[in-house]
């Protein structure tokens, strides 16, 4: 049943004007706030964890805003999938930092574009592809018809979709070696068979992908971070340089730089981050690594304080 209903809902939403989709998203987000369900619980928990300096009232306000903004994103995505680049380009009311993007790309070593789950990330791939050929990683969803809809919406001119496996990584390497752009969602919880390290994210020990470090090490490519902020009338694309630590040869320092790059973006629009994503959970396959790292840290502290 989900294979039929969910794709049809998104297809219907794709015919709405952007303003109407946002009104609908705001209404859905308000319902999520009032229902106090799973999305509300995870969002509230993550905001409390990442912004301990906020008062209880400020935490509640940010949680409310976040649920509304996340629902707006969900209501907008099908419009972006269905419409052409010319339509989307007309909705990008401003671009801040494009000179950073073009300067890094001009170095000819390929460019890794880090696009966290902030604002509406579906805007980013078409925007990047308007600058240079883009190869972006894609993880299939569980609903086949929905997977087909998403893949068709993202596979537009100048965009190649790479699967989240060894073949996909080879596609990314080839794109970088050709001086093109590679798009990665850097704040996803890595799959159990993917390379990952524990690194700080908003002060929390967080499992983080090591793919970006591997790509930079093998290609000497440059990196940027960017997102599409939701603003009146459309979107504002904001490009930031990646944290310099991302270029470290030390994997852990590099991965900390990756997380810092995401944090720098989130601080510019915290209400538009996807806080209901359970980023701080640890799959069972990584529990052992987590405990080993904790034990190593405890041992180091003990050795340092007891010579």
């Amino acid at each position: 049943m989900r294979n039929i209903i969910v794709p049809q809902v998104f297809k219907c939403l794709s015919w709405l004007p952007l303003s109407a989709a946002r009104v609908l998203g705001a209404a859905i987000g308000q319902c999520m706030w009032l229902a106090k369900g799973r999305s509300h619980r995870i969002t509230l928990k993550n905001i409390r964890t990442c912004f301990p300096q906020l008062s209880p009232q400020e935490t509640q306000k940010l949680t409310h805003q976040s649920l509304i903004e996340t629902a707006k994103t969900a209501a907008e995505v099908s419009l972006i999938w269905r419409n052409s680049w010319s339509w989307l380009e007309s909705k990008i009311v401003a671009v801040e930092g494009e000179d950073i993007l073009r300067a890094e790309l001009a170095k000819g070593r390929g460019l890794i574009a880090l696009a966290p789950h902030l604002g509406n990330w579906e805007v980013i791939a078409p925007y990047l592809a308007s600058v240079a050929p883009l190869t972006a990683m894609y993880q299939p969803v569980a609903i086949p018809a929905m997977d087909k809809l998403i893949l068709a919406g993202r596979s537009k001119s100048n965009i190649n979709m790479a699967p989240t496996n060894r073949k996909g990584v080879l596609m990314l390497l080839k794109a970088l070696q050709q001086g093109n752009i590679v798009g990665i969602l850097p704040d996803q919880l890595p799959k159990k068979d993917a390379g990952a390290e524990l690194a700080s994210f908003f002060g929390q020990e967080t499992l983080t992908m090591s793919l970006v470090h591997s790509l930079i090490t093998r290609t000497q490519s440059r990196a940027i971070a960017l997102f599409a902020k939701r603003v009146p009338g459309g979107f504002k694309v904001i490009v930031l340089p990646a944290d310099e630590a991302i270029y470290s040869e030390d994997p852990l320092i590099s991965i900390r730089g990756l997380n810092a790059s995401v944090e720098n973006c989130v601080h510019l629009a915290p209400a538009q981050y996807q806080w209901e994503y359970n980023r701080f959970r640890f799959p069972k396959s990584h529990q052992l690594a987590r405990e080993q790292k904790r034990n190593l840290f405890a041992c180091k502290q003990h050795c340092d304080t007891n010579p």
Side-chain angles (χ1 to χ4, degrees):
M1 185 64 70
R2 285 195 310 163
N3 195 40
I4 299 174
I5 295 176
V6 175
Q8 288 303 319
V9 169
F10 275 87
K11 286 180 181 179
C12 291
L13 289 174
S14 71
W15 295 99
L16 291 174
L18 181 61
S19 58
R22 289 183 172 180
V23 170
L24 177 61
I28 294 172
Q30 181 67 17
C31 292
M32 293 164 64
W33 164 256
L34 294 172
K36 300 292 190 288
R38 182 176 182 274
S39 293
H40 177 276
R41 291 193 301 272
I42 295 175
T43 299
L44 181 60
K45 176 184 175 183
N46 285 343
I47 289 175
R48 280 175 174 165
T49 299
C50 295
F51 298 102
Q53 74 278 12
L54 295 182
S55 69
Q57 294 77 15
E58 291 171 329
T59 300
Q60 292 288 341
K61 181 180 179 181
L62 184 53
T63 299
H64 187 194
Q65 292 173 333
S66 176
L67 291 169
I68 288 175
E69 293 296 333
T70 295
K72 285 181 181 180
T73 297
E76 292 169 347
V77 292
S78 54
L79 280 75
I80 298 168
W81 294 336
R82 182 181 70 84
N83 284 291
S84 65
W85 162 244
S86 60
W87 175 87
L88 181 57
E89 187 178 24
S90 71
K91 303 300 180 185
I92 298 177
V93 300
V95 179
E96 180 181 309
E98 186 171 301
D99 55 325
I100 298 172
L101 186 161
R102 292 187 179 276
E104 296 289 17
L105 188 62
K107 293 176 181 177
R109 288 179 280 174
L111 182 65
I112 300 172
L114 308 173
H117 290 84
L118 177 65
N120 195 321
W121 50 93
E122 295 291 346
V123 173
I124 294 302
Y127 164 71
L128 290 172
S130 73
V131 177
L134 170 72
T135 300
M137 295 210 84
Y138 172 71
Q139 184 171 340
V141 299
I143 304 172
M146 191 67 196
D147 185 70
K148 182 178 179 181
L149 179 66
I150 296 172
L151 195 57
R154 290 176 173 173
S155 301
K156 297 180 180 179
S157 58
N158 237 21
I159 302 176
N160 293 316
M161 302 307 298
T164 53
N165 54 30
R166 187 174 182 275
K167 178 183 177 182
V169 173
L170 292 176
M171 289 175 65
L172 299 183
L173 286 169
K174 182 177 179 181
L176 292 173
Q177 290 164 353
Q178 292 174 340
N180 295 330
I181 303 175
V182 158
I184 293 177
L185 294 168
D187 51 352
Q188 286 185 315
L189 197 65
K191 296 171 67 176
K192 66 179 182 180
D193 55 346
E197 290 284 350
L198 294 168
S200 175
F201 180 63
F202 280 94
Q204 306 303 309
E205 184 183 43
T206 309
L207 199 64
T208 308
M209 66 170 64
S210 58
L211 173 62
V212 174
H213 169 70
S214 298
L215 292 174
I216 291 174
T217 300
R218 296 177 67 175
T219 64
Q220 302 304 306
S221 296
R222 300 295 294 175
I224 59 168
L226 75 167
F227 67 101
K229 182 179 180 181
R230 188 174 298 101
V231 297
F235 306 94
K236 178 182 180 180
V237 174
I238 299 175
V239 183
L240 302 174
D243 188 283
E244 281 298 316
I246 203 171
Y247 302 111
S248 173
E249 294 181 0
D250 185 311
L252 187 55
I253 294 175
S254 176
I255 291 169
R256 286 173 183 163
L258 172 67
N259 281 343
S261 301
V262 175
E263 288 184 35
N264 291 339
C265 290
V266 174
H267 281 301
L268 297 177
Q272 294 192 24
Y273 190 59
Q274 193 183 15
W275 292 109
E276 81 280 5
Y277 179 55
N278 200 3
R279 175 80 194 274
F280 300 112
R281 72 187 189 275
F282 287 88
K284 291 181 179 178
S285 58
H286 292 287
Q287 288 288 357
L288 180 59
R290 184 188 190 197
E291 291 303 319
Q292 287 175 338
K293 178 157 281 193
R294 279 182 170 177
N295 293 338
L296 180 63
F297 180 72
C299 177
K300 184 177 185 302
Q301 279 193 319
H302 178 76
C303 293
D304 289 344
T305 55
N306 296 278

